[in-house]
């Protein structure tokens, strides 16, 4: 059964990694096989959250933005199944703060019951786009409620990762006490229009650099992990870390869905290439 690490123990594990000049890798997992395999590969953190769970059910990641699923219920249900499979790696849950019918304190009670050691704010309002995120905020259910979730989790001694799409959000997350910040790069903004390949990657890397600068201005010890569509494989993830101030990478589809899709499709094609010998009728 997974070890219920304290916040201090998780931070110590991550800092030891950095002191050895090694980047941190957090794998996002939507099923037990992904989590077990990630631990075998040496992942530093395992994150269980609604987007990962839905995509490992064969659904598009963005389906969670529609009113058909309870993101927290999905996460807590799957987290209870996955966490006991993990032996040594810290496990954190992605919890959504926006449901007005949910008491955040009660939500956090379940984290320890699932033998998980921390949380992150997922889903996060930024994924819905600026216009909708502003409407959520005006209703008191946007980014400010995500900050409240992080503060409450920090007060309980849980390890916290706060997602931030802008330098201002990164600064606010650091002020709220987030131990780590996920620099989420959304590549559908105006700065990416018309850009492809290396140009788009360069813009994304610069956004990471600004997020790191804002977070470290508040707390130099804040661990920043990069994430987003522009960073879809090892090389682009490396580019998002080198020279930006980031300490590591948090995978989404790149660490789970895509490897599984490619491997299963490939082995299926190879099995179908097996030929049978010519069948001859038997005489009676």
């Amino acid at each position: 059964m997974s070890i219920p690490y304290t916040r201090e123990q998780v931070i110590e594990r991550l800092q030891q990694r950095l002191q050895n000049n090694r980047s941190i890798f957090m794998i996002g997992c939507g099923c037990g096989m992904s989590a077990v395999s990630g631990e075998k590969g040496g992942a530093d953190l395992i994150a269980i959250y609604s987007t990962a769970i839905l995509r490992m059910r064969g659904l598009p990641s963005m389906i969670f933005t529609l009113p058909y699923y309870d993101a927290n219920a999905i996460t807590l249900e799957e987290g209870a199944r996955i966490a006991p499979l993990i032996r040594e790696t810290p496990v954190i849950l992605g919890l959504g703060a926006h449901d007005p019918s949910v008491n955040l304190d009660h939500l956090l009670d379940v984290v320890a019951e699932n033998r998980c050691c921390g949380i992150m704010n997922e889903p996060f309002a930024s994924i819905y786009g600026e216009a909708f995120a502003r409407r959520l905020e005006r209703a008191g259910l946007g980014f400010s409620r995500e900050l409240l979730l992080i503060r409450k989790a920090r007060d309980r001694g849980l390890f916290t990762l706060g997602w931030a799409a802008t330098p201002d959000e990164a600064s606010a997350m650091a002020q709220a006490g987030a131990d780590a910040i996920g620099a989420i790069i959304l590549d559908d903004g105006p700065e990416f229009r018309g850009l492809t390949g290396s140009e788009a990657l360069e813009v994304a890397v610069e956004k990471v650099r600004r997020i790191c600068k804002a977070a470290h201005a508040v707390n130099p010890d804040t661990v920043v992990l990069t994430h987003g569509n522009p960073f879809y494989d090892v090389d682009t993830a490396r580019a998002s870390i080198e020279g930006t101030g980031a300490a590591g990478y948090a995978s989404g589809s790149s660490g789970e869905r895509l490897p599984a899709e490619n491997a299963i499709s490939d082995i299926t094609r190879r099995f179908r290439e097996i030929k049978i010998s010519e069948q001859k009728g038997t005489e009676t």
Side-chain angles (χ1 to χ4, degrees), residues 177-217:
D179 301 301
I181 288 175
I184 173 71
I185 305 303
L186 307 173
D187 60 359
D188 55 355
E191 66 269 46
F192 286 98
R193 288 174 191 157
L195 299 182
T196 58
S198 60
E199 290 180 320
L201 179 60
E202 186 175 334
V203 171
V205 167
E206 178 56 32
K207 290 190 72 172
V208 169
R209 191 174 289 114
R210 293 199 298 268
I211 288 174
C212 288
K213 183 178 179 181
H216 292 153

Side-chain angles (χ1 to χ4, degrees), residues 4 10 66 70 73 85-86 91 112 115 129 152 165 169 178 183 185 193 207 222 241 278 283-284:
V10 177
L66 300 175
D70 182 332
L85 305 176
I86 304 306
V91 179
R115 295 183 66 82
K152 284 180 174 291
E169 288 187 355
I185 305 303
R193 288 174 191 157
K207 290 190 72 172
T222 302
I241 297 170
E278 184 178 350
E283 295 183 4
T284 60

Side-chain angles (χ1 to χ4, degrees), residues 10 13-14 17 23-27 38 42-46 89-90:
V10 177
R13 282 172 60 95
L14 300 183
R17 180 81 177 158
S23 64
I24 294 165
F25 177 60
M26 182 176 81
I27 183 170
D44 301 294
L45 288 170
I46 291 173
T89 311

Side-chain angles (χ1 to χ4, degrees), residues 13-221:
R13 282 172 60 95
L14 300 183
Q15 288 300 324
Q16 286 178 350
R17 180 81 177 158
L18 297 176
Q19 288 166 10
N20 291 325
N21 200 32
R22 299 294 184 185
S23 64
I24 294 165
F25 177 60
M26 182 176 81
I27 183 170
C29 295
C31 67
M33 180 59 70
S34 302
V36 170
S37 300
E39 181 169 53
K40 279 186 179 180
D44 301 294
L45 288 170
I46 291 173
I48 303 167
Y49 52 100
S50 57
T51 313
I53 295 164
L54 291 172
R55 64 174 167 247
M56 291 309 286
R57 293 180 183 177
L59 297 167
S61 297
M62 290 300 290
I63 195 72
F64 83 96
T65 64
L66 300 175
Y68 305 128
Y69 297 93
D70 182 332
N72 287 327
I74 289 172
T75 297
L76 295 175
E77 179 183 6
E78 201 65 30
R81 292 173 177 157
I82 295 175
L85 305 176
I86 304 306
R87 302 304 177 190
E88 297 182 354
T89 311
V91 179
I92 67 174
L93 298 179
L95 300 179
H98 316 101
D99 186 345
S101 69
V102 171
N103 181 293
L104 297 183
D105 290 305
H106 294 168
L107 186 62
L108 291 170
D109 286 340
V110 189
V111 176
E113 294 174 9
N114 283 2
R115 295 183 66 82
C116 296
C117 60
I119 62 113
M120 58 186 188
N121 55 309
E122 198 281 343
F124 36 86
S126 299
I127 196 71
Y128 299 104
E130 290 185 13
F132 194 62
R134 284 196 299 270
R135 291 181 181 179
L136 281 175
E137 188 57 41
R138 285 199 294 269
L141 300 173
F143 183 69
S144 60
R145 192 163 161 87
E146 296 174 36
L147 292 173
L148 178 61
L149 176 68
I150 294 295
R151 290 192 194 99
K152 284 180 174 291
R154 172 64 186 270
D155 290 344
R156 285 170 172 251
L158 294 170
F159 177 82
T160 54
L161 183 146
W163 289 107
T166 67
D168 287 344
E169 288 187 355
S171 177
M173 276 294 176
Q175 291 173 18
D179 301 301
I181 288 175
I184 173 71
I185 305 303
L186 307 173
D187 60 359
D188 55 355
E191 66 269 46
F192 286 98
R193 288 174 191 157
L195 299 182
T196 58
S198 60
E199 290 180 320
L201 179 60
E202 186 175 334
V203 171
V205 167
E206 178 56 32
K207 290 190 72 172
V208 169
R209 191 174 289 114
R210 293 199 298 268
I211 288 174
C212 288
K213 183 178 179 181
H216 292 153
V218 176
N219 181 1
D221 294 327

